[in-house]
Amino acid sequence: MNEGLASQTIKAIDAYTINEIGIPSMVLMERAALAIADELLDHTSISAASYAVVCGTGNNGGDGLAIGRMLHQAGKTVKIYLVGNVDKASDECRKQLRIAKNLGLTIDFLEEGAESFSEDVVLDALFGIGLDRDVEEPHKTAIDKINRSHGYVVAVDVPSGISADTGKAMGTAVIADSTLTIGFMKTGFNVKEAQAFIGKLKVMAIGYPERSLLKGLIKEELTND
Ligand SMILES: NC(=O)C1=CN([C@@H]2O[C@H](COP(=O)(O)OP(=O)(O)OC[C@H]3O[C@@H](n4cnc5c(N)ncnc54)[C@H](O)[C@@H]3O)[C@@H](O)[C@H]2O)[C@@H](O)CC1
Ligand SMILES: [K+]
């Protein structure tokens, strides 16, 4: 299996692409979301009419909001749930929230104690490569709910709670049926204990320029020296 990239390298590749090459962060996010929405609509064996999208307030949540919007535009029934403090949301997540609201999507905060999800597919967009500490409330309850749902669980980029670098569950983690990982395979996905959380893995290409890959990898090498 491909060795994968460390989250720091992916962050360096993102930063170079956005800041030095000039492809806006929102464009990368749209490409990631479109690749995943297309995969869900056209290329998987999952025949789904309804989707629950569980979003955090970082860029993984922004991906989730954009995917939810694209599924809604494709005529699917989409319910978006937010978890965490929206006042501290990333810029991209905030923008995606505004777009989704302007298009009339249903967005709710995930309530404590509520039943689990009844939709055909549950999209996990709580945390991606930004996870850097153990999962606590309210995310812990959200992950429990995803894991109790009867629907097919698809993780966006990384099963939330799994460290993209070590492959270990940080307290708790989403057990996905499938993980659609953005741009690159992650180092932690090679670890044996991560397999049960990842499910079926697919890397979604989003068109990072070759130059970004070289610069990101060189920066990582210099940092390690
Ligand atoms: N433009 C970009 O940078 C792109 C980002 N992408 C998405 O963005 C993700 C990374 O986004 P972020 O860096 O915003 O990070 P995440 O969305 O993974 O996490 C959000 C934030 O949660 C906080 N956090 C970490 N551990 C926590 C914990 N245990 N409890 C509560 N909060 C915690 C961190 O401050 C982190 O920044 C990728 O995994 C991918 O899904 C993609 O859209 C591709 C392009
Ligand atoms: K996720």
Side-chain angles (χ1 to χ4, degrees):
M1 194 186 280
N2 182 332
E3 275 183 15
L5 296 184
S7 60
Q8 277 311 109
T9 309
I10 298 173
K11 285 175 193 170
I13 292 170
D14 275 339
Y16 185 86
T17 310
I18 295 163
N19 301 322
E20 306 301 325
I21 294 184
I23 299 176
S25 183
M26 282 291 278
V27 171
L28 291 179
M29 188 174 278
E30 286 291 297
R31 288 199 62 153
L34 191 57
I36 292 178
D38 276 353
E39 177 67 21
L40 292 169
L41 291 166
D42 300 333
H43 302 292
T44 55
S45 52
I46 323 155
S47 163
S50 58
Y51 293 80
V53 191
V54 190
C55 300
T57 54
N59 282 2
N60 194 249
D63 289 344
L65 283 157
I67 297 163
R69 181 231 310 159
M70 290 167 190
L71 295 170
H72 169 81
Q73 284 180 265
K76 302 296 182 183
T77 302
V78 177
K79 192 106 205 281
I80 292 178
Y81 295 95
L82 279 178
V83 183
N85 187 348
V86 175
D87 293 338
K88 292 186 181 162
S90 68
D91 284 352
E92 292 85 349
C93 181
R94 217 182 283 265
K95 283 179 192 161
Q96 293 293 358
L97 202 48
R98 181 163 168 261
I99 298 169
K101 280 182 180 161
N102 285 340
L103 288 171
L105 272 100
T106 312
I107 302 171
D108 285 321
F109 279 97
L110 193 62
E111 283 174 37
E112 268 183 44
E115 289 296 304
S116 196
F117 308 101
S118 55
E119 286 80 1
D120 300 331
V121 172
V122 181
L123 287 183
D124 154 39
L126 285 168
F127 298 117
I129 60 170
L131 182 81
D132 57 8
R133 54 190 184 275
D134 276 1
V135 176
E136 291 172 1
E137 295 299 355
H139 300 91
K140 197 170 171 301
T141 297
I143 289 174
D144 286 347
K145 270 185 203 193
I146 294 172
N147 287 344
R148 272 191 284 114
S149 65
H150 296 296
Y152 188 89
V153 176
V154 179
V156 176
D157 204 22
V158 182
S160 299
I162 293 293
S163 158
D165 293 327
T166 66
K168 295 211 163 75
M170 311 271 286
T172 184
V174 165
I175 302 165
D177 293 299
S178 170
T179 296
L180 300 177
T181 201
I182 299 164
F184 315 97
M185 166 76 181
K186 293 8 180 206
T187 321
F189 290 176
N190 293 305
V191 175
K192 196 160 175 259
E193 64 190 273
Q195 304 306 313
F197 295 92
I198 296 165
K200 194 170 159 237
L201 179 67
K202 186 158 182 185
V203 180
M204 311 306 300
I206 68 163
Y208 283 104
E210 187 82 8
R211 179 185 285 249
S212 299
L213 309 191
L214 292 173
K215 292 287 179 177
L217 291 168
I218 289 166
K219 189 161 181 238
E220 174 74 350
E221 260 174 36
L222 292 175
T223 316
N224 288 340
D225 281 347

